Amino acid sequence: PNLPYYIDGEYKITQSNAILRYIARKHNMLGDDERSRVDVDIMLENAMDFRNGVVRMCYNPKYEELIAEYKKAGGQMENQLTGFDKWLSSRTWFGGKKITVVDFPMYELLDQHRLMVGADVLDKYANLKKFMSAFENDAKIKAYMTSPKFVKLPVNNKSASFK
């Protein structure tokens, strides 16, 4: 099968988001009602757009120029982070009242920004900081992130300008 793939009994699944949604369905993490399911769908697509923009930069030989432009005040990064911060203004989680599938890629991407841009990149975004803290302090996630199973690996592979 194509990479990535996931095999669960009779199901052989390819494509990152198909795998993510399949696992989320099994664990009731797609939202509890139609409003939260719609919000999850919207934010999963926003997360993919966010990821694609970051990947285009990281794998471009002109990464240093691109990241400098990306970080400029009033630029793309600020606009995206402001939008995400506003989305969280009335909620703790991107999908609503509880952790859903979308919180995992959003956490990952925001954490990558702390590495790419600087640890203080989220300082002016109170809701994003609150989200990151809530995610990292969720009992199950915290137990995993402090266990020997959790390994910090490079963000990108060796062909990327930013690893």
Side-chain angles (χ1 to χ4, degrees):
N2 291 335
L3 292 176
Y5 68 88
Y6 181 75
I7 299 173
D8 185 23
E10 67 180 287
Y11 300 106
K12 295 172 179 68
I13 307 161
T14 60
Q15 297 296 337
S16 300
N17 282 336
I19 295 165
L20 204 54
R21 282 186 170 99
Y22 174 80
I23 294 169
R25 268 193 307 278
K26 285 187 78 167
H27 296 279
N28 191 30
M29 295 185 77
L30 288 174
D32 289 335
D33 56 33
E34 194 59 24
R35 173 77 266 152
S36 59
R37 285 189 289 273
V38 167
D39 288 348
V40 166
D41 285 342
I42 290 168
M43 289 311 299
L44 272 173
E45 298 309 318
N46 276 312
M48 184 56 75
D49 291 345
F50 193 33
R51 178 183 308 284
N52 288 341
V54 169
V55 167
R56 275 192 293 278
M57 268 191 309
C58 291
Y59 285 84
N60 192 305
K62 295 182 179 181
Y63 170 76
E64 294 301 330
E65 293 172 39
L66 294 171
I67 192 72
E69 186 67 26
Y70 181 69
K71 293 187 315 188
K72 283 185 180 174
Q76 183 183 2
M77 181 186 75
E78 187 174 296
N79 290 337
Q80 288 178 309
L81 295 180
T82 298
F84 295 145
D85 194 67
K86 184 176 178 184
W87 180 269
L88 290 173
S89 64
S90 62
R91 59 181 87 205
T92 302
W93 307 106
F94 281 96
K97 297 176 183 157
K98 68 174 197 168
I99 291 178
T100 61
V101 64
V102 71
D103 295 306
F104 291 86
M106 289 304 296
Y107 174 83
E108 176 190 10
L109 290 161
L110 294 168
D111 188 47
Q112 286 176 13
H113 273 67
R114 292 190 294 200
L115 298 171
M116 274 185 355
V117 179
D120 63 347
V121 68
L122 301 178
D123 282 358
K124 70 183 207 176
Y125 305 101
N127 298 317
L128 291 177
K129 284 183 68 171
K130 186 173 88 174
F131 163 77
M132 297 297 279
S133 178
F135 189 91
E136 291 166 348
N137 287 298
D138 174 82
K140 290 179 181 178
I141 292 169
K142 188 173 190 168
Y144 169 70
M145 290 177 86
T146 57
S147 77
K149 290 181 180 181
F150 182 75
V151 180
K152 282 217 174 228
L153 299 171
V155 174
N156 296 303
N157 74 32
K158 59 185 174 184
S159 68
S161 297
F162 174 78
K163 295 165 185 59

